[in-house]
Amino acid sequence: MDMDAFAAVNADKWARLQELAGKGRLSGTEADELLALYQSTSGHLSLVRSMAPESALSASLSATLALARTRFTGARSNAMADLARFFVAALPAALYRLAWLTVACGTAFVIIAAAYAAWIGTSAEALRAVASEAAAAQYVDQDFINYYSENPAASFAGAVWTNNAWICAQAVALGITGVWVPMILFGNAQGVGIAAGIFASAGKSDVFYSYILPHGLMELTAVFVACAAGLRIFWAMVAPGPRTRGRAVAEEGRSLITVALGLVLVLFVSGLVEGFVTPSPLPGWARIGIGAAVLAAYWLYVLVFGRRAVLAGERGDLRREDAGYTEIAA
Protein backbone atom coordinates (compact mmCIF):
# COMPACT_ATOMS: atom_id res chain seq x y z
CA MET A 1 0.00 0.00 0.00
CA ASP A 2 1.20 3.50 -0.86
CA MET A 3 1.13 5.30 2.48
CA ASP A 4 1.38 8.76 0.94
CA ALA A 5 -1.57 8.11 -1.34
CA PHE A 6 -3.56 6.61 1.54
CA ALA A 7 -2.87 9.67 3.68
CA ALA A 8 -3.79 12.05 0.87
CA VAL A 9 -7.14 10.32 0.31
CA ASN A 10 -8.13 10.36 3.99
CA ALA A 11 -6.45 13.57 5.19
CA ASP A 12 -9.69 15.56 5.08
CA LYS A 13 -11.51 13.02 7.25
CA TRP A 14 -8.71 13.01 9.83
CA ALA A 15 -8.60 16.78 9.88
CA ARG A 16 -12.35 16.93 10.38
CA LEU A 17 -12.13 14.40 13.23
CA GLN A 18 -9.49 16.51 14.94
CA GLU A 19 -11.58 19.64 14.42
CA LEU A 20 -14.67 18.06 15.98
CA ALA A 21 -12.66 16.54 18.84
CA GLY A 22 -11.31 19.96 19.75
CA LYS A 23 -14.59 21.83 19.40
CA GLY A 24 -16.12 23.19 22.59
CA ARG A 25 -19.76 22.21 21.96
CA LEU A 26 -21.16 19.72 19.44
CA SER A 27 -24.61 19.60 17.93
CA GLY A 28 -26.40 16.26 17.59
CA THR A 29 -25.37 15.99 13.96
CA GLU A 30 -21.75 16.80 14.76
CA ALA A 31 -21.71 14.22 17.55
CA ASP A 32 -22.93 11.56 15.13
CA GLU A 33 -20.30 12.67 12.64
CA LEU A 34 -17.60 12.49 15.32
CA LEU A 35 -18.53 8.91 16.19
CA ALA A 36 -18.61 7.83 12.53
CA LEU A 37 -15.21 9.43 11.83
CA TYR A 38 -13.81 7.85 14.98
CA GLN A 39 -14.87 4.40 13.81
CA SER A 40 -13.44 4.82 10.32
CA THR A 41 -10.20 6.37 11.56
CA SER A 42 -9.73 3.50 14.03
CA GLY A 43 -9.81 1.18 11.04
CA HIS A 44 -7.31 3.40 9.24
CA LEU A 45 -4.97 3.30 12.23
CA SER A 46 -5.11 -0.49 12.38
CA LEU A 47 -4.19 -0.65 8.71
CA VAL A 48 -1.35 1.85 9.09
CA ARG A 49 0.07 -0.02 12.09
CA SER A 50 0.08 -3.27 10.14
CA MET A 51 2.31 -1.60 7.55
CA ALA A 52 4.36 0.92 9.57
CA PRO A 53 3.73 0.59 13.34
CA GLU A 54 6.34 3.17 14.38
CA SER A 55 5.62 5.80 11.72
CA ALA A 56 4.79 9.44 12.33
CA LEU A 57 1.38 8.87 10.72
CA SER A 58 0.60 6.10 13.23
CA ALA A 59 1.50 8.36 16.14
CA SER A 60 -0.54 11.24 14.73
CA LEU A 61 -3.66 9.15 14.19
CA SER A 62 -3.32 7.62 17.66
CA ALA A 63 -3.18 11.07 19.24
CA THR A 64 -6.20 12.27 17.25
CA LEU A 65 -8.22 9.20 18.25
CA ALA A 66 -7.28 9.63 21.90
CA LEU A 67 -8.53 13.22 21.80
CA ALA A 68 -11.74 12.19 20.06
CA ARG A 69 -12.33 9.33 22.48
CA THR A 70 -12.52 11.69 25.43
CA ARG A 71 -15.45 13.50 23.81
CA PHE A 72 -17.80 10.54 24.01
CA THR A 73 -16.30 8.44 26.80
CA GLY A 74 -15.52 11.26 29.23
CA ALA A 75 -12.65 11.29 31.65
CA ARG A 76 -11.29 7.85 32.49
CA SER A 77 -11.07 8.67 36.19
CA ASN A 78 -10.93 11.59 38.53
CA ALA A 79 -7.76 13.32 39.65
CA MET A 80 -7.74 11.70 43.09
CA ALA A 81 -8.01 8.23 41.58
CA ASP A 82 -5.12 8.96 39.24
CA LEU A 83 -3.06 10.31 42.14
CA ALA A 84 -3.77 7.22 44.21
CA ARG A 85 -2.81 4.93 41.33
CA PHE A 86 0.45 6.85 40.87
CA PHE A 87 1.59 6.43 44.47
CA VAL A 88 0.18 2.94 45.11
CA ALA A 89 0.93 1.26 41.78
CA ALA A 90 2.79 3.19 39.07
CA LEU A 91 5.61 4.76 41.12
CA PRO A 92 6.47 1.79 43.36
CA ALA A 93 6.35 -0.54 40.34
CA ALA A 94 8.72 1.67 38.37
CA LEU A 95 11.10 1.89 41.34
CA TYR A 96 10.85 -1.85 42.02
CA ARG A 97 11.83 -2.67 38.45
CA LEU A 98 14.98 -0.62 39.04
CA ALA A 99 15.78 -2.11 42.45
CA TRP A 100 18.62 -4.46 41.49
CA LEU A 101 20.13 -1.96 39.09
CA THR A 102 19.93 0.67 41.84
CA VAL A 103 21.83 -1.67 44.18
CA ALA A 104 24.42 -2.29 41.46
CA CYS A 105 24.96 1.45 40.98
CA GLY A 106 25.25 1.90 44.75
CA THR A 107 27.74 -0.94 45.03
CA ALA A 108 29.94 0.52 42.30
CA PHE A 109 29.78 3.91 44.03
CA VAL A 110 30.79 2.48 47.42
CA ILE A 111 33.71 0.52 45.96
CA ILE A 112 35.11 3.58 44.17
CA ALA A 113 34.58 5.89 47.16
CA ALA A 114 36.13 3.37 49.57
CA ALA A 115 39.17 2.96 47.32
CA TYR A 116 39.78 6.72 47.25
CA ALA A 117 39.19 7.05 50.99
CA ALA A 118 41.65 4.26 51.79
CA TRP A 119 44.26 5.65 49.39
CA ILE A 120 44.13 9.24 50.64
CA GLY A 121 43.61 8.28 54.27
CA THR A 122 46.72 6.11 54.38
CA SER A 123 49.07 7.88 51.97
CA ALA A 124 50.64 11.22 52.87
CA GLU A 125 51.66 11.72 49.24
CA ALA A 126 48.11 11.15 48.00
CA LEU A 127 46.79 13.60 50.59
CA ARG A 128 49.27 16.27 49.52
CA ALA A 129 48.19 15.74 45.90
CA VAL A 130 44.63 16.83 46.69
CA ALA A 131 45.17 19.45 49.41
CA SER A 132 47.92 21.19 51.30
CA GLU A 133 48.25 20.52 55.02
CA ALA A 134 46.71 23.88 55.87
CA ALA A 135 43.84 23.46 53.41
CA ALA A 136 43.10 19.96 54.69
CA ALA A 137 43.06 21.19 58.30
CA GLN A 138 40.70 24.05 57.46
CA TYR A 139 38.42 21.70 55.55
CA VAL A 140 38.22 19.24 58.45
CA ASP A 141 37.93 21.81 61.27
CA GLN A 142 35.76 24.48 59.62
CA ASP A 143 34.62 24.32 56.00
CA PHE A 144 32.93 20.91 55.97
CA ILE A 145 30.85 21.43 59.11
CA ASN A 146 30.11 25.11 58.44
CA TYR A 147 28.69 24.20 55.03
CA TYR A 148 25.63 22.70 56.72
CA SER A 149 24.88 25.63 59.00
CA GLU A 150 26.12 28.82 57.34
CA ASN A 151 22.70 29.45 55.75
CA PRO A 152 19.16 29.31 57.19
CA ALA A 153 17.89 25.71 57.23
CA ALA A 154 14.93 26.36 54.91
CA SER A 155 16.95 28.13 52.20
CA PHE A 156 19.76 25.57 52.51
CA ALA A 157 17.28 22.70 52.10
CA GLY A 158 15.90 24.38 48.98
CA ALA A 159 19.35 24.86 47.49
CA VAL A 160 20.27 21.23 48.22
CA TRP A 161 17.03 20.02 46.65
CA THR A 162 17.69 22.03 43.48
CA ASN A 163 21.29 20.83 43.18
CA ASN A 164 20.45 17.18 43.70
CA ALA A 165 17.48 17.38 41.36
CA TRP A 166 19.82 18.75 38.68
CA ILE A 167 22.23 15.84 39.15
CA CYS A 168 19.39 13.31 38.94
CA ALA A 169 17.89 15.06 35.92
CA GLN A 170 21.20 14.71 34.10
CA ALA A 171 21.38 11.00 34.91
CA VAL A 172 17.82 10.43 33.74
CA ALA A 173 17.86 12.61 30.62
CA LEU A 174 21.35 11.71 29.41
CA GLY A 175 21.40 8.09 30.54
CA ILE A 176 20.47 7.00 27.02
CA THR A 177 23.98 7.98 25.90
CA GLY A 178 25.43 5.12 27.94
CA VAL A 179 28.40 7.19 29.16
CA TRP A 180 26.85 9.94 31.27
CA VAL A 181 25.74 7.67 34.12
CA PRO A 182 29.21 6.15 34.68
CA MET A 183 30.65 9.68 34.62
CA ILE A 184 28.18 10.89 37.29
CA LEU A 185 28.74 7.84 39.48
CA PHE A 186 32.51 8.02 39.25
CA GLY A 187 32.69 11.79 39.79
CA ASN A 188 30.46 11.76 42.87
CA ALA A 189 32.14 8.65 44.32
CA GLN A 190 35.52 10.27 43.82
CA GLY A 191 34.38 13.43 45.64
CA VAL A 192 32.93 11.52 48.60
CA GLY A 193 35.97 9.24 48.78
CA ILE A 194 38.42 12.15 48.80
CA ALA A 195 36.47 13.89 51.58
CA ALA A 196 36.35 10.69 53.62
CA GLY A 197 40.08 10.19 53.08
CA ILE A 198 40.94 13.70 54.28
CA PHE A 199 38.96 13.16 57.49
CA ALA A 200 40.49 9.70 57.95
CA SER A 201 43.99 11.16 57.67
CA ALA A 202 43.09 13.57 60.48
CA GLY A 203 41.63 10.80 62.64
CA LYS A 204 38.14 12.31 62.50
CA SER A 205 36.20 9.84 60.38
CA ASP A 206 33.46 9.80 63.03
CA VAL A 207 32.81 13.50 62.40
CA PHE A 208 32.62 12.97 58.66
CA TYR A 209 30.13 10.11 58.84
CA SER A 210 28.00 11.81 61.48
CA TYR A 211 27.43 14.66 59.03
CA ILE A 212 27.31 12.83 55.70
CA LEU A 213 25.14 9.82 56.58
CA PRO A 214 21.95 11.45 57.96
CA HIS A 215 21.02 12.91 54.58
CA GLY A 216 23.50 11.03 52.38
CA LEU A 217 21.84 7.64 52.79
CA MET A 218 18.67 8.80 51.02
CA GLU A 219 20.27 11.46 48.85
CA LEU A 220 22.77 9.06 47.30
CA THR A 221 20.11 6.38 46.91
CA ALA A 222 18.09 8.87 44.86
CA VAL A 223 21.14 9.45 42.64
CA PHE A 224 21.55 5.68 42.25
CA VAL A 225 17.87 5.36 41.24
CA ALA A 226 18.28 8.12 38.65
CA CYS A 227 21.39 6.42 37.29
CA ALA A 228 19.56 3.10 37.13
CA ALA A 229 16.70 4.74 35.22
CA GLY A 230 19.13 6.24 32.73
CA LEU A 231 20.86 2.90 32.20
CA ARG A 232 17.50 1.17 31.78
CA ILE A 233 16.51 3.32 28.82
CA PHE A 234 20.01 2.95 27.35
CA TRP A 235 19.69 -0.82 27.52
CA ALA A 236 16.20 -0.69 25.99
CA MET A 237 17.77 0.97 22.97
CA VAL A 238 20.67 -1.49 22.79
CA ALA A 239 18.70 -4.69 23.45
CA PRO A 240 14.93 -4.15 22.99
CA GLY A 241 14.14 -7.87 23.03
CA PRO A 242 10.93 -8.94 21.28
CA ARG A 243 9.70 -5.33 21.14
CA THR A 244 10.60 -2.94 18.37
CA ARG A 245 13.39 -0.58 19.39
CA GLY A 246 11.07 2.43 19.18
CA ARG A 247 8.42 0.82 21.35
CA ALA A 248 10.97 -0.41 23.91
CA VAL A 249 12.49 3.04 24.29
CA ALA A 250 9.04 4.65 24.45
CA GLU A 251 7.82 2.28 27.19
CA GLU A 252 10.95 2.65 29.29
CA GLY A 253 10.94 6.41 28.68
CA ARG A 254 7.42 6.77 30.02
CA SER A 255 8.29 4.67 33.08
CA LEU A 256 11.38 6.82 33.49
CA ILE A 257 9.18 9.93 33.69
CA THR A 258 7.27 8.25 36.52
CA VAL A 259 10.57 7.66 38.33
CA ALA A 260 11.65 11.27 37.75
CA LEU A 261 8.45 12.58 39.33
CA GLY A 262 8.94 10.28 42.31
CA LEU A 263 12.53 11.42 42.76
CA VAL A 264 11.34 15.00 43.13
CA LEU A 265 9.57 13.94 46.33
CA VAL A 266 12.43 11.71 47.50
CA LEU A 267 14.94 14.54 47.07
CA PHE A 268 12.59 16.92 48.85
CA VAL A 269 12.63 14.66 51.91
CA SER A 270 16.40 14.28 51.65
CA GLY A 271 16.78 18.06 51.43
CA LEU A 272 14.71 18.52 54.58
CA VAL A 273 16.93 16.07 56.43
CA GLU A 274 20.08 17.83 55.21
CA GLY A 275 18.72 21.25 56.06
CA PHE A 276 17.19 20.51 59.47
CA VAL A 277 18.65 17.25 60.84
CA THR A 278 22.28 17.14 59.68
CA PRO A 279 23.30 20.48 61.29
CA SER A 280 21.09 19.99 64.36
CA PRO A 281 22.54 19.62 67.89
CA LEU A 282 21.25 16.04 68.10
CA PRO A 283 23.91 13.42 68.89
CA GLY A 284 25.46 11.70 65.89
CA TRP A 285 23.71 8.39 66.49
CA ALA A 286 20.31 10.12 66.52
CA ARG A 287 20.97 12.01 63.28
CA ILE A 288 22.23 8.87 61.55
CA GLY A 289 19.23 6.97 62.94
CA ILE A 290 16.82 9.45 61.35
CA GLY A 291 18.61 9.11 58.02
CA ALA A 292 18.53 5.32 58.28
CA ALA A 293 14.80 5.41 59.09
CA VAL A 294 14.10 7.50 56.00
CA LEU A 295 16.07 5.07 53.84
CA ALA A 296 14.30 2.07 55.41
CA ALA A 297 10.91 3.67 54.73
CA TYR A 298 11.87 4.14 51.07
CA TRP A 299 12.92 0.51 50.58
CA LEU A 300 9.90 -0.76 52.47
CA TYR A 301 7.67 1.25 50.13
CA VAL A 302 9.49 -0.03 47.04
CA LEU A 303 9.73 -3.69 48.03
CA VAL A 304 6.22 -4.07 49.47
CA PHE A 305 4.08 -1.86 47.23
CA GLY A 306 6.35 -2.24 44.22
CA ARG A 307 6.46 -6.03 44.26
CA ARG A 308 2.70 -6.18 44.70
CA ALA A 309 2.15 -3.78 41.79
CA VAL A 310 4.57 -5.60 39.47
CA LEU A 311 2.95 -8.97 40.22
CA ALA A 312 -0.38 -7.35 39.28
CA GLY A 313 1.07 -6.42 35.88
CA GLU A 314 2.00 -2.80 36.59
CA ARG A 315 5.19 -1.41 35.02
CA GLY A 316 5.02 2.28 35.82
CA ASP A 317 4.00 2.99 32.23
CA LEU A 318 0.79 4.66 31.06
CA ARG A 319 -2.32 2.56 30.69
CA ARG A 320 -2.37 0.81 27.32
CA GLU A 321 -5.23 2.93 26.00
CA ASP A 322 -3.47 6.13 27.06
CA ALA A 323 -0.28 4.98 25.39
CA GLY A 324 -2.18 4.45 22.15
CA TYR A 325 -1.76 0.67 21.89
CA THR A 326 -5.45 -0.19 22.04
CA GLU A 327 -8.60 1.54 20.94
CA ILE A 328 -11.92 1.43 22.72
CA ALA A 329 -14.59 0.01 20.46
CA ALA A 330 -17.30 2.49 19.58
Side-chain angles (χ1 to χ4, degrees), residues 181-208:
V181 166
M183 286 173 56
I184 289 176
L185 280 175
F186 183 85
N188 281 274
Q190 183 185 48
V192 171
I194 290 174
I198 292 174
F199 271 85
S201 68
K204 295 185 177 180
S205 291
D206 57 327
V207 176
F208 175 77

Side-chain angles (χ1 to χ4, degrees), residues 41-307:
T41 304
S42 294
H44 296 161
L45 177 59
S46 297
L47 182 59
V48 169
R49 280 182 173 159
S50 68
M51 305 294 292
E54 303 298 335
S55 66
L57 179 57
S58 174
S60 176
L61 289 179
S62 180
T64 299
L65 285 168
L67 179 62
R69 185 168 61 245
T70 62
R71 296 308 305 271
F72 54 82
T73 61
R76 163 177 57 78
S77 60
N78 59 46
M80 293 306 296
D82 285 337
L83 193 62
R85 175 183 175 271
F86 177 81
F87 284 108
V88 175
L91 178 57
L95 294 173
Y96 183 82
R97 292 179 62 234
L98 295 173
W100 284 111
L101 196 51
T102 299
V103 172
C105 289
T107 301
F109 180 96
V110 169
I111 291 173
I112 295 170
Y116 269 95
W119 178 41
I120 294 172
T122 57
S123 170
E125 291 183 359
L127 178 61
R128 285 195 297 270
V130 298
S132 66
E133 184 176 344
Q138 180 174 337
Y139 179 72
V140 170
D141 296 331
Q142 300 179 38
D143 295 348
F144 182 80
I145 296 175
N146 291 342
Y147 167 75
Y148 296 102
S149 57
E150 60 187 2
N151 293 307
S155 61
F156 178 64
V160 167
W161 183 28
T162 302
N163 177 69
N164 292 332
W166 171 239
I167 293 174
C168 290
Q170 292 180 69
V172 171
L174 301 177
I176 196 171
T177 64
V179 298
W180 200 259
V181 166
M183 286 173 56
I184 289 176
L185 280 175
F186 183 85
N188 281 274
Q190 183 185 48
V192 171
I194 290 174
I198 292 174
F199 271 85
S201 68
K204 295 185 177 180
S205 291
D206 57 327
V207 176
F208 175 77
Y209 291 113
S210 70
Y211 275 87
I212 201 71
L213 289 180
H215 63 274
L217 290 171
M218 191 66 258
E219 179 182 286
L220 289 174
T221 298
V223 173
F224 302 153
V225 171
C227 289
L231 290 176
R232 170 77 74 172
I233 194 171
F234 167 71
W235 192 246
M237 181 182 67
V238 173
R243 300 171 293 180
T244 64
R245 182 166 282 102
R247 178 163 180 169
V249 171
E251 288 179 350
E252 296 300 341
R254 289 192 297 267
S255 297
L256 180 150
I257 292 173
T258 299
V259 171
L261 292 174
L263 286 180
V264 171
L265 300 176
V266 171
L267 289 171
F268 176 71
V269 174
S270 174
L272 290 179
V273 174
E274 187 166 3
F276 292 92
V277 177
T278 298
S280 73
L282 291 171
W285 63 265
R287 287 182 279 139
I288 295 174
I290 292 173
V294 172
L295 179 65
Y298 167 81
W299 280 111
L300 185 66
Y301 171 73
V302 171
L303 296 178
V304 174
F305 287 90
R307 183 174 183 275

